[in-house]
Amino acid sequence: MNFKLNWRGTSYGVKLPEAKLTAVSPIERAPLPEKVIITLHQNIGAPCKPLVKRGDKVLTGQKIGDSEKFVSAPVHATISGEISGTTMLVHPATGQLVEALIISSDGTDEWVVPEAKDAIDTLSVEEILKRIREAGIVGLGGAAFPTQVKLSPPKDKRIDTVILNGCECEPYITSDHRVMLEYGREVLSGLNIIRKVLSPDNMYIAIEDNKQDAIEHVRKLLASMKLDRNCKIVTLKSKYPMGAEKTLIQNILAREVPIGGLPMDVGVVVHNVSTARAIHDAVSERKPFIERVVTVTGAVKEPKNLLVRLGTPLRDLIENCGGIDGEANEIILGGPMMGISQFDLGFPVIKGTNCILLKKSMQSKEGDCISCGRCLDACPMSLMPTMLVKYAKAGRYDACKEAYIADCFECGACAYACPANIPIVQYIKIAKSELIKRAAKK
Amino acid sequence: MTTVLVLTGIGFACAALIYFMHIVLPHKVQGLEKTEEIANTLPGMNCGACGYPGCFAYAQALTKNPDLISESPCAVMLQDAEGLERLGKILGVSIDAAGMSKRALIHCNGSSEVVYDYSGVRTCKAATQLLKGYKKCPYACLGFGDCLEVCPQGAIYMDDEKEIAVVDTEECTGCGLCVTECPQKLIELVPEGTKIAFLCNYKPLKNIPGREKCDFGCIHCRKCYKACEFEAVVWNKEKAIPEFDIEKCTLCHKCIDECPNGTLADFTRVKTAAQAL
């Protein structure tokens, strides 16, 4: 069944140029890198401790780092070879200093002996969660929250709805789109596993209306896999930030996640389509999470969707796409709206990387706020970005807190809408980090 | 006519009531005499460096606990020997100003290379969030002057050539507001009589590719340690940096001359450098 929902009442969000250059290019497998850099802290939560030391031989898929904390995910060797050293790295997303292991390839790509496969129906929920944890799966939409934590809600919270997120509302990125088209069966099998763990009443697959081919494909697959009775495809208007967790829940279910709360609080769990595919690989195929689809796009000769091993340096991927084309002086890990610029092509692909965008940076002078209110219209969380910026500029971080700054998920719609080019998100990030610092002091 | 009379009557009645109250009620709030006396001695600039919201709040806290003056002293008072004596008398404690008086020292020599063009919000706090700042050394002074903004004394200046902040040690009172403000954590409070300044903040944890220290940072060669004839340089093995004994140091400048990268400087002359800016 397919039904169309209206954008409920409000007009928040912004319409962005799509620029999905790679929507029709099939996923290509990138050649094996000569060396990979595996950071030991790739997700939200505790960092891993290394399980191997310099000089050790590792096989593809071997666990090389783990943590005992609940909110954590292990990391695996993504190629076979030798640990040639450890290094410190500035984490591409959080900016923290993290430890990283360097693996030099021996060129053979020899895998660890996979464990026996068995039918999913015979597995217990604990066994499934254990397999997901061991495979090191995190949310692949970008936030990189460990998946098994999302799948084990507290006992008092009943999950009645699961949403599979295939919106991909940021411009340029097409990795989820291609995954739905080419690994649709695996995605749905992953969804089936999620269903087994959480046993929800309803399941939705949310796709934006600019991906008609994916909608058709997934609908056919649903029918052929006999999942269409309890799973519905929701076509959403393509608008930014449609794919954000809280916006999605609001638009599909008309439920509002409480301030400072999680989707769990309203009985919903949202997973990305690529995460579902990784869950299928981990549980059914017993493969750890060592490769993902990354869109390399923008000012490269041939923009591509590449299936790459984690830890591959960005330089290799850009070379694979024919090198830099034209003027590009900015390389962004992630999409143009929420991605973070990098300055070194030696940085590795990490679990949360869905796109590598090269573009010419646009530097615009910050003007003064004229209180036009366009950011208020754009904000999907109905916050007041203009006030947040004024408070943050004046150092009144407590006032930011009272204005619900914690609810901002930094989508950047406000900054896009701002006619004065005020870097609103950056001001909000300053205020957030100052608030965290103050909370840590107390 | 009646209206005029009634209103005048009310006016006189109120005046009488006010006069009566003026006689009956005490003119000063009881129990606050001592606090007020302390507050009058305090500088009254409400900088907040002591950790209390303003001088009066600090005075209230001092009334309750006179020992607080040594735990979190008023940095501005420490510079004023006469006022300090008066405050000591009121509180009934003796204050050792020389031991408590501090100065801010910025552990950075500047001139670190720039690794990428930064085009965001022009504050240090914003710049540190993007991959530890735009300079090659991840611990370097970013030179947007967050410390300059908070300094109640206006004692911090910008060295435009080196792109770092410089403290005027004469104007600085050692209040420590800049220490908490600096996101790179490179400002330290040192005793007032410090003679040699160590101008590097690079933490030798492990090599970060592409983010090595600049050409002006400490290379842990221990030349200063070997050069000192008075045993005033103590080598801190854990951090692999030199530490300086104020009492033994004679300011002979041998260590400063020996340092191959110019990481050391005469602390007493940093002032003149700042004044030149």
Side-chain angles (χ1 to χ4, degrees):
Chain A
M1 198 175 92
N2 185 9
F3 62 100
K4 194 155 185 158
L5 285 172
N6 295 321
W7 189 276
R8 275 177 210 277
T10 47
S11 60
Y12 54 73
V14 284
K15 184 83 189 144
L16 296 178
E18 279 168 15
K20 308 252 187 197
L21 309 176
T22 47
V24 289
S25 35
I27 297 168
E28 273 179 45
R29 188 173 281 275
L32 278 183
E34 274 164 27
K35 69 162 192 184
V36 291
I37 304 153
I38 312 277
T39 59
L40 289 170
H41 191 196
Q42 305 218 354
N43 47 276
I44 292 174
C48 296
K49 290 198 180 71
L51 300 175
V52 287
K53 54 183 191 298
R54 196 182 166 149
D56 283 1
K57 294 259 186 267
V58 289
L59 299 175
T60 311
Q62 185 182 334
K63 191 156 82 172
I64 54 172
D66 204 352
S67 167
E68 284 162 7
K69 298 268 167 58
F70 179 61
V71 184
S72 67
V75 289
H76 299 82
T78 55
I79 51 173
S80 65
E82 191 187 313
I83 306 278
S84 57
T86 58
T87 178
M88 293 299 280
L89 207 71
V90 182
H91 191 286
T94 62
Q96 307 279 324
L97 278 179
V98 289
E99 230 182 327
L101 297 167
I102 304 169
I103 307 173
S104 301
S105 171
D106 56 8
T108 56
D109 194 28
E110 193 183 332
W111 281 69
V112 282
V113 183
E115 282 165 77
K117 291 174 197 171
D118 32 24
I120 304 161
D121 300 336
T122 59
L123 295 173
S124 66
V125 170
E126 285 75 29
E127 174 65 18
I128 293 176
L129 286 177
K130 202 180 134 223
R131 284 186 187 182
I132 292 174
R133 163 83 175 76
E134 284 304 299
I137 299 175
V138 298
L140 301 184
F145 193 75
T147 301
Q148 92 278 1
V149 181
K150 255 186 176 181
L151 285 177
S152 30
K155 286 225 167 63
D156 54 328
K157 280 174 194 158
R158 157 116 177 84
I159 303 296
D160 57 27
T161 311
V162 167
I163 300 174
L164 208 56
N165 183 358
C167 279
E168 208 163 47
C169 51
E170 278 217 44
Y172 288 103
I173 312 177
T174 55
S175 56
D176 287 352
H177 184 186
R178 291 314 300 181
V179 164
M180 279 189 285
L181 281 176
E182 293 177 40
Y183 299 97
R185 202 165 279 278
E186 285 87 342
V187 169
L188 294 183
S189 156
L191 180 63
N192 207 12
I193 295 166
I194 296 172
R195 189 189 63 152
K196 194 170 155 51
V197 175
L198 294 171
S199 52
D201 305 331
N202 301 304
M203 294 193 292
Y204 296 98
I205 301 176
I207 307 175
E208 277 189 355
D209 60 6
N210 57 357
K211 296 184 249 308
Q212 289 297 342
D213 47 351
I215 296 170
E216 278 305 306
H217 184 71
V218 174
R219 187 187 305 150
K220 267 179 213 157
L221 278 177
L222 273 178
S224 73
M225 290 172 80
K226 303 213 165 40
L227 276 166
D228 51 348
R229 279 183 60 197
N230 34 24
C231 181
K232 293 167 197 148
I233 294 177
V234 188
T235 314
L236 294 159
K237 210 165 152 182
S238 54
K239 205 170 183 186
Y240 183 82
M242 186 52 103
E245 216 169 42
K246 289 172 186 173
T247 329
L248 208 57
I249 295 168
Q250 171 111 43
N251 279 305
I252 297 177
L253 303 166
R255 292 185 200 172
E256 197 172 329
V257 179
I259 292 158
L262 291 169
M264 262 180 206
D265 298 333
V266 288
V268 185
V269 162
V270 182
H271 280 290
N272 188 275
V273 285
S274 296
T275 317
R277 184 194 153 223
I279 289 173
H280 163 83
D281 282 356
V283 179
S284 309
E285 312 280 336
R286 312 289 315 248
K287 271 202 316 209
F289 176 58
I290 60 160
E291 54 187 4
R292 68 158 298 154
V293 181
V294 177
T295 307
V296 184
T297 183
V300 287
K301 288 222 170 66
E302 311 158 41
K304 279 177 189 174
N305 293 300
L306 291 172
L307 185 64
V308 300
R309 295 284 167 94
L310 298 176
T312 310
L314 305 184
R315 186 178 290 114
D316 291 15
L317 299 181
I318 292 164
E319 267 166 28
N320 189 290
C321 293
I324 299 168
D325 181 31
E327 267 185 87
N329 51 8
E330 199 173 7
I331 173 158
I332 302 172
L333 227 55
M337 298 298 283
M338 289 182 77
I340 290 176
S341 302
Q342 307 296 319
F343 64 88
D344 193 338
L345 292 178
F347 277 134
V349 168
I350 54 169
K351 286 178 183 175
T353 311
N354 47 9
C355 177
I356 296 162
L357 172 65
L358 282 92
K359 69 186 235 331
K360 195 173 182 302
S361 75
M362 300 209 300
Q363 300 195 354
S364 40
K365 205 170 164 286
E366 181 185 338
D368 292 325
C369 175
I370 53 164
S371 303
C372 65
R374 286 191 204 173
C375 51
L376 272 82
D377 289 343
C379 183
M381 299 305 291
S382 312
L383 302 176
M384 294 209 285
T386 161
M387 290 317 287
L388 292 175
V389 168
K390 281 172 190 163
Y391 290 144
K393 270 188 182 172
R396 291 182 57 197
Y397 304 119
D398 48 342
C400 288
K401 198 174 172 186
E402 280 163 22
Y404 308 113
I405 195 170
D407 264 13
C408 168
F409 54 84
E410 297 161 19
C411 67
C414 49
Y416 182 83
C418 182
N421 294 322
I422 299 174
I424 299 174
V425 181
Q426 207 179 2
Y427 281 114
I428 290 178
K429 278 185 180 174
I430 297 171
K432 275 185 176 175
S433 76
E434 284 299 303
L435 283 169
I436 290 169
K437 242 186 250 169
R438 285 185 188 185
K441 254 184 213 165
K442 279 171 196 167
Chain B
M1 190 61 201
T2 353
T3 331
V4 173
L5 278 178
V6 169
L7 284 177
T8 322
I10 291 173
F12 273 107
C14 287
L17 191 70
I18 290 169
Y19 183 67
F20 178 69
M21 283 300 177
H22 178 72
I23 294 166
V24 174
L25 291 179
H27 287 189
K28 285 206 161 184
V29 185
Q30 276 169 340
L32 270 183
E33 291 92 352
K34 199 181 171 189
T35 313
E36 266 181 14
E37 206 179 341
I38 297 169
N40 287 337
T41 332
L42 291 174
M45 57 201 287
N46 297 327
C47 69
C50 52
Y52 290 88
C55 289
F56 196 79
Y58 184 54
Q60 278 177 318
L62 276 180
T63 328
K64 274 183 204 152
N65 176 18
D67 293 333
L68 196 74
I69 191 79
S70 51
E71 285 161 24
S72 60
C74 172
V76 182
M77 284 301 284
L78 291 177
Q79 314 310 317
D80 172 16
E82 208 180 289
L84 209 59
E85 206 178 300
R86 251 185 298 146
L87 187 65
K89 252 181 219 162
I90 300 166
L91 292 173
V93 289
S94 63
I95 303 162
D96 166 32
M100 285 193 285
S101 190
K102 305 261 177 166
R103 292 288 178 270
L105 168 59
I106 299 179
H107 283 295
C108 184
N109 210 354
S111 306
S112 181
E113 273 173 59
V114 172
V115 284
Y116 64 88
D117 288 341
Y118 175 71
S119 65
V121 178
R122 312 290 290 174
T123 64
C124 305
K125 278 198 211 87
T128 22
Q129 289 191 342
L130 277 170
L131 312 167
K132 295 251 159 203
Y134 63 93
K135 285 192 175 176
K136 191 171 150 196
C137 170
Y139 309 104
C141 173
L142 295 169
F144 288 126
D146 282 17
C147 47
L148 207 122
E149 301 273 314
V150 292
C151 183
Q153 306 291 335
I156 307 180
Y157 299 86
M158 229 50 222
D159 186 337
D160 289 332
E161 200 179 302
K162 288 180 162 181
E163 293 187 327
I164 54 165
V166 183
V167 181
D168 182 337
T169 44
E170 204 150 273
E171 281 178 51
C172 173
T173 58
C175 65
L177 281 177
C178 50
V179 176
T180 41
E181 194 69 11
C182 181
Q184 296 285 73
K185 296 198 181 72
L186 45 74
I187 308 182
E188 192 195 357
L189 289 182
V190 294
E192 193 185 352
T194 301
K195 287 167 184 161
I196 305 288
F198 178 68
L199 301 177
C200 184
N201 187 42
Y202 192 86
K203 296 177 180 68
L205 294 166
K206 254 177 200 175
N207 231 3
I208 311 163
R211 305 301 292 268
E212 299 84 6
K213 65 175 143 307
C214 65
D215 298 339
F216 307 96
C218 179
I219 51 166
H220 321 294
C221 65
R222 315 221 304 175
K223 270 191 181 162
C224 49
Y225 172 69
K226 285 170 199 155
C228 188
E229 292 164 10
F230 307 97
E231 295 182 344
V233 182
V234 186
W235 193 258
N236 185 333
K237 275 187 186 166
E238 227 167 79
K239 292 182 186 164
I241 54 166
E243 277 167 6
F244 302 92
D245 194 319
I246 301 173
E247 274 164 28
K248 284 182 188 163
C249 178
T250 58
L251 259 181
C252 67
H253 283 206
K254 262 203 181 140
C255 51
I256 299 174
D257 296 339
E258 274 296 312
C259 182
N261 278 358
T263 313
L264 300 180
D266 188 334
F267 189 62
T268 53
R269 288 192 195 168
V270 174
K271 173 194 77 190
T272 23
Q275 276 169 351
L277 295 170

